[in-house]
Amino acid sequence: MRKLLIIILAVAFTFAGFAKTRHLGDFSYINTDGPINVAVNAVVAVKFNKKKYLPFILYLGTDKGVTANIDRNSIVMEYKGRIYHLPSYKEWRKNYNEDVYDLSLFSREPEHVFPSEMSIYQFQTDVDFFPARNEGLKIGNLLSISYRIGAVTKVYFKNPGIKRGDTIKIKIFDKDNKSIYGEVEIKF
């Protein structure tokens, strides 16, 4: 009886860590438990995980009554207990030339973020942290989001050697108030 109880508790704790993030299909995930609501399209990063930089499309919004300002330092990736920051736009552009190809790969895959809770937001679409060379977007240094006004941006992290079966977390914080945050887990 005691062994059965231990097994049940172990399974419960294992799934409790993943309960916040929901899989939307084809490597798209969402987590709306924090003040910042986060959805991510990770299909290109997962399917082509040998790239030097891993691309993700983030969809961000907030709970009612919450406003958040997010800069490049406010977004991190956690992998095997280590924190990885976004590269600067200059570093990324110098070392990576597959951005247009990444866009074409994203466009070939079905988008599973919609319909979800993210469909309530009107997304700002003129600013991006990592605009591709063929996009007419401004390079963003700050995204301001609030209830009903969200933001969508591509982010890239230098690949630390992620393998199939590994799990990462992408964490987003308000640049001035770390208690305003959101995170999402992605399984490769």
Side-chain angles (χ1 to χ4, degrees):
M1 181 67 174
R2 183 176 167 161
K3 284 183 182 181
L4 179 62
L5 182 59
I6 291 172
I7 291 170
I8 291 172
L9 287 174
V11 169
F13 283 119
T14 300
F15 287 109
F18 293 98
K20 294 179 182 180
T21 297
R22 290 190 339 268
H23 183 237
L24 298 173
D26 202 24
F27 306 107
S28 291
Y29 299 87
I30 188 169
N31 185 339
T32 59
D33 285 347
I36 296 176
N37 300 313
V38 184
V40 62
N41 181 337
V43 66
V44 175
V46 174
K47 286 186 175 181
F48 301 92
N49 69 334
K50 300 293 186 223
K51 288 178 168 281
K52 184 175 184 175
Y53 289 87
L54 298 174
F56 302 91
I57 299 177
L58 291 182
Y59 299 85
L60 307 169
T62 66
D63 289 343
K64 192 172 187 173
V66 177
T67 299
N69 293 307
I70 299 160
D71 63 10
R72 290 175 175 277
N73 297 324
S74 304
I75 302 172
V76 297
M77 177 178 74
E78 183 180 319
Y79 174 62
K80 293 190 175 182
R82 294 193 60 199
I83 299 295
Y84 298 88
H85 294 274
L86 296 177
S88 70
Y89 182 82
K90 186 177 179 180
E91 171 199 334
W92 171 75
R93 176 60 63 220
K94 180 181 174 187
N95 297 317
Y96 192 75
N97 63 0
E98 296 182 33
D99 52 313
V100 175
Y101 180 61
D102 292 341
L103 280 180
S104 70
L105 292 173
F106 275 115
S107 70
R108 294 178 196 167
E109 300 291 338
E111 179 60 76
H112 292 284
V113 170
F114 302 102
S116 73
E117 293 90 331
M118 299 311 278
S119 63
I120 68 167
Y121 297 104
Q122 178 181 353
F123 289 102
Q124 305 163 51
T125 57
D126 60 337
V127 176
D128 196 311
F129 284 144
F130 293 92
R133 286 168 283 158
N134 66 341
E135 292 181 302
L137 302 176
K138 294 183 266 181
I139 299 169
N141 291 317
L142 183 71
L143 299 174
S144 293
I145 57 175
S146 60
Y147 186 62
R148 302 274 190 217
I149 304 296
V152 60
T153 185
K154 288 179 298 308
V155 295
Y156 283 81
F157 291 99
K158 197 165 188 173
N159 190 343
I162 297 171
K163 296 176 180 52
R164 295 273 183 207
D166 289 348
T167 300
I168 66 164
K169 279 186 188 178
I170 295 179
K171 298 180 177 185
I172 296 94
F173 299 92
D174 178 88
K175 73 181 194 78
D176 298 316
N177 183 351
K178 300 293 187 220
S179 69
I180 299 174
Y181 66 92
E183 67 180 33
V184 63
E185 290 185 341
I186 300 158
K187 181 155 176 127
F188 276 71

